[in-house]
């Protein structure tokens, strides 16, 4: 799955990938502060239980690093984040 920090990050990715559709689940955060909530949603959705690898698309700054760390802290060891 893919987690994007914001809608412009998501739209930029789509433009760079020259696609309008991604395979697998996608979460677009309104703010990096929503990372823990996103992790809770991932764990609670029965249709996402088989998705164990999540790519996190964050800005390369302190907020992006904090967001990624919060996301990692909320998910258990059965998930991989890259």
């Amino acid at each position: 799955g893919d987690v994007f920090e914001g809608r412009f990050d998501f739209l930029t990715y789509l433009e760079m990938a020259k696609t309008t559709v991604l395979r697998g689940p996608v979460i677009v955060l309104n703010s990096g502060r929503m990372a823990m909530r996103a992790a809770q949603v991932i764990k609670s959705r029965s249709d996402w239980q088989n998705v164990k690898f999540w790519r996190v698309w964050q800005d390369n700054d302190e907020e992006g690093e904090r967001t990624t760390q919060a996301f990692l802290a909320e998910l258990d060891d059965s998930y991989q984040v890259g």
Side-chain angles (χ1 to χ4, degrees):
D2 293 282
V3 178
F4 293 88
E5 186 172 3
R7 67 181 177 265
F8 291 112
D9 299 307
F10 175 63
L11 293 171
T12 299
Y13 179 84
L14 292 178
E15 179 67 26
M16 291 175 59
K18 305 226 183 289
T19 188
T20 58
V21 179
L22 293 180
R23 296 175 197 237
V26 174
I27 297 175
V28 180
L29 306 174
N30 188 41
S31 160
R33 295 184 181 128
M34 299 298 294
M36 288 179 60
R37 177 69 181 122
Q40 293 167 353
V41 168
I42 288 168
K43 292 189 299 185
S44 69
R45 289 205 41 169
S46 60
D47 56 331
W48 290 358
Q49 294 304 306
N50 64 333
V51 181
K52 296 298 183 182
F53 181 76
W54 289 85
R55 290 177 291 214
V56 180
W57 304 91
Q58 304 290 347
D59 292 338
N60 190 20
D61 58 11
E62 288 182 28
E63 179 67 22
E65 181 61 27
R66 279 193 300 270
T67 299
T68 301
Q69 292 306 315
F71 188 71
L72 284 167
E74 189 64 31
L75 292 176
D76 60 46
D77 292 339
S78 67
Y79 293 91
Q80 293 182 329
V81 176

